Amino acid sequence: MTVALMWEAKAAPGRGAELLAWAGAYELAPAPLRRELFRAPGEAGDRVLVITWWEGSYDAEVPELPDPAPDMIARPVHRWRFEALDAV
Protein backbone atom coordinates (compact mmCIF):
# COMPACT_ATOMS: atom_id res chain seq x y z
CA MET A 1 0.00 0.00 0.00
CA THR A 2 1.13 3.57 -0.60
CA VAL A 3 0.38 6.61 1.54
CA ALA A 4 0.70 10.18 0.29
CA LEU A 5 1.34 13.14 2.55
CA MET A 6 0.39 16.66 1.48
CA TRP A 7 1.96 19.68 3.16
CA GLU A 8 0.77 23.19 2.27
CA ALA A 9 1.86 26.58 3.59
CA LYS A 10 1.00 30.17 2.76
CA ALA A 11 4.02 32.44 2.69
CA ALA A 12 4.21 35.65 4.67
CA PRO A 13 4.18 38.73 2.40
CA GLY A 14 7.35 38.88 0.33
CA ARG A 15 8.59 35.47 1.55
CA GLY A 16 7.23 33.19 -1.19
CA ALA A 17 10.55 32.48 -2.89
CA GLU A 18 12.20 31.80 0.45
CA LEU A 19 9.45 29.42 1.55
CA LEU A 20 9.61 27.59 -1.79
CA ALA A 21 13.40 27.23 -1.50
CA TRP A 22 13.13 26.02 2.11
CA ALA A 23 10.48 23.40 1.28
CA GLY A 24 12.42 22.19 -1.76
CA ALA A 25 15.70 21.87 0.12
CA TYR A 26 14.39 20.24 3.30
CA GLU A 27 15.66 16.65 3.39
CA LEU A 28 13.53 13.83 4.73
CA ALA A 29 15.26 10.73 6.07
CA PRO A 30 14.60 8.22 4.80
CA ALA A 31 13.75 9.70 1.42
CA PRO A 32 10.20 9.18 0.12
CA LEU A 33 9.42 7.01 -2.90
CA ARG A 34 8.44 10.21 -4.72
CA ARG A 35 8.31 13.91 -3.92
CA GLU A 36 6.71 16.81 -5.81
CA LEU A 37 6.92 20.53 -5.15
CA PHE A 38 4.31 23.06 -6.33
CA ARG A 39 3.70 26.76 -5.92
CA ALA A 40 0.65 28.96 -6.43
CA PRO A 41 1.68 32.59 -6.75
CA GLY A 42 -0.98 35.17 -6.04
CA GLU A 43 -1.86 38.59 -4.78
CA ALA A 44 -3.18 37.08 -1.55
CA GLY A 45 0.19 35.44 -0.93
CA ASP A 46 2.27 32.63 -2.40
CA ARG A 47 1.38 29.09 -1.40
CA VAL A 48 3.73 26.10 -1.46
CA LEU A 49 2.57 22.49 -1.70
CA VAL A 50 4.72 19.38 -1.17
CA ILE A 51 3.40 15.88 -1.83
CA THR A 52 5.43 12.86 -0.74
CA TRP A 53 4.67 9.18 -1.38
CA TRP A 54 5.67 6.43 1.03
CA GLU A 55 5.40 2.66 1.13
CA GLY A 56 3.15 1.71 4.03
CA SER A 57 -0.34 1.75 5.44
CA TYR A 58 -2.44 4.87 6.00
CA ASP A 59 -1.21 5.20 9.58
CA ALA A 60 2.44 4.35 8.83
CA GLU A 61 5.02 6.40 10.69
CA VAL A 62 6.91 8.36 8.05
CA PRO A 63 8.89 11.60 8.26
CA GLU A 64 6.95 14.78 7.56
CA LEU A 65 8.03 18.28 6.72
CA PRO A 66 8.02 20.38 9.88
CA ASP A 67 6.68 23.90 10.21
CA PRO A 68 9.04 26.51 8.76
CA ALA A 69 10.14 29.52 10.81
CA PRO A 70 7.04 31.37 12.03
CA ASP A 71 8.01 34.61 10.30
CA MET A 72 8.11 32.79 6.93
CA ILE A 73 4.41 31.81 6.94
CA ALA A 74 1.15 33.75 7.05
CA ARG A 75 -0.89 31.02 8.78
CA PRO A 76 -0.41 27.55 10.24
CA VAL A 77 0.73 24.79 7.87
CA HIS A 78 -1.99 22.47 6.56
CA ARG A 79 -1.34 18.74 6.37
CA TRP A 80 -3.35 15.89 4.85
CA ARG A 81 -2.75 12.17 4.54
CA PHE A 82 -4.18 9.95 1.80
CA GLU A 83 -3.98 6.29 0.93
CA ALA A 84 -3.67 5.14 -2.68
CA LEU A 85 -6.60 3.12 -4.01
CA ASP A 86 -6.90 0.80 -6.97
CA ALA A 87 -8.76 2.30 -9.92
CA VAL A 88 -12.49 1.75 -9.69
Side-chain angles (χ1 to χ4, degrees):
M1 176 179 283
T2 303
V3 62
L5 303 183
M6 292 178 62
W7 178 99
E8 186 263 344
K10 181 177 179 181
R15 307 287 297 268
E18 183 180 359
L19 179 61
L20 182 64
W22 178 88
Y26 194 91
E27 291 190 34
L28 295 167
L33 298 172
R34 180 174 165 188
R35 178 177 177 154
E36 292 190 53
L37 180 65
F38 302 88
R39 77 177 181 111
E43 292 180 23
D46 294 340
R47 291 184 318 275
V48 174
L49 174 67
V50 179
I51 304 174
T52 56
W53 281 262
W54 304 89
E55 188 65 39
S57 63
Y58 180 80
D59 58 355
E61 288 192 35
V62 296
E64 297 189 39
L65 265 72
D67 290 352
D71 61 338
M72 200 182 306
I73 54 176
R75 60 160 168 73
V77 170
H78 292 177
R79 291 177 173 88
W80 300 274
R81 184 177 282 238
F82 298 90
E83 64 184 346
L85 303 173
D86 292 331
V88 181

